[in-house]
């Protein structure tokens, strides 16, 4: 793991980190994204961007996109193009299309256009509906 030291002990194993990130996503009904400064502090303290676990990566990218971090566009695209599980696709495409960072919606549409042929037909249909495309 990237995370070391006393602050990280409570975040092991992966499931604990996953639950921690989920609680941040659901904070106050999910309607109040964290500030970029808070995310930067979490990254510095826990190294969340270095995790390869899909559950952790997906939630961390959702948090970053929710805060308007345009730096999350490329990692989100990489994840969306490398897997086809709907449990990751839909939340990431939604977060990418709704981010307050400029160009998020178009980036989501472009990413989907490039990757949609790799997805299962049901996943493709559901993501297309989420993005408002045919």
């Amino acid at each position: 793991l990237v995370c070391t030291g006393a602050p990280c002990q409570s975040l092991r194993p992966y499931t604990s980190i996953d639950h921690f990130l989920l609680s941040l996503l659901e904070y106050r009904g999910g309607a109040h994204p964290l500030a970029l400064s808070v995310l930067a502090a979490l990254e510095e303290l826990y190294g969340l961007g270095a995790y390869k676990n899909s559950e952790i990566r997906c939630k961390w990218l959702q948090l970053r996109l929710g805060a308007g971090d345009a730096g999350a566009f490329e990692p989100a695209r990489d994840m969306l193009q490398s897997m086809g599980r709907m449990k990751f696709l839909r939340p990431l495409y939604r977060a990418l299309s709704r981010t307050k960072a400029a160009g998020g919606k178009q980036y989501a549409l472009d990413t989907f256009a490039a990757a949609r042929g790799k997805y299962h037909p049901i996943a493709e249909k559901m993501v297309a509906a989420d993005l408002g495309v045919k």
Side-chain angles (χ1 to χ4, degrees), residues 1-85:
L1 295 175
V2 173
C3 188
T4 60
C8 303
Q9 297 306 315
S10 65
L11 291 181
R12 290 191 178 133
Y14 282 137
T15 55
S16 296
I17 298 169
D18 184 48
H19 290 142
F20 172 67
L21 294 175
L22 182 60
S23 69
L24 293 177
L25 280 169
E26 294 176 346
Y27 174 67
R28 297 178 76 188
H32 301 281
L34 298 174
L36 287 172
S37 60
V38 172
L39 293 177
L42 288 170
E43 176 60 34
E44 182 179 336
L45 187 60
Y46 300 116
L48 295 167
Y51 284 92
K52 301 299 180 198
N53 177 282
S54 297
E55 299 282 348
I56 294 168
R57 282 180 64 206
C58 183
K59 288 176 179 68
W60 180 239
L61 288 169
Q62 288 177 75
L63 284 168
R64 289 180 62 193
L65 291 166
D69 182 0
F73 285 12
E74 193 171 321
R77 182 199 64 216
D78 293 345
M79 186 170 185
L80 290 166
Q81 290 181 337
S82 68
M83 67 175 44
R85 292 201 62 194

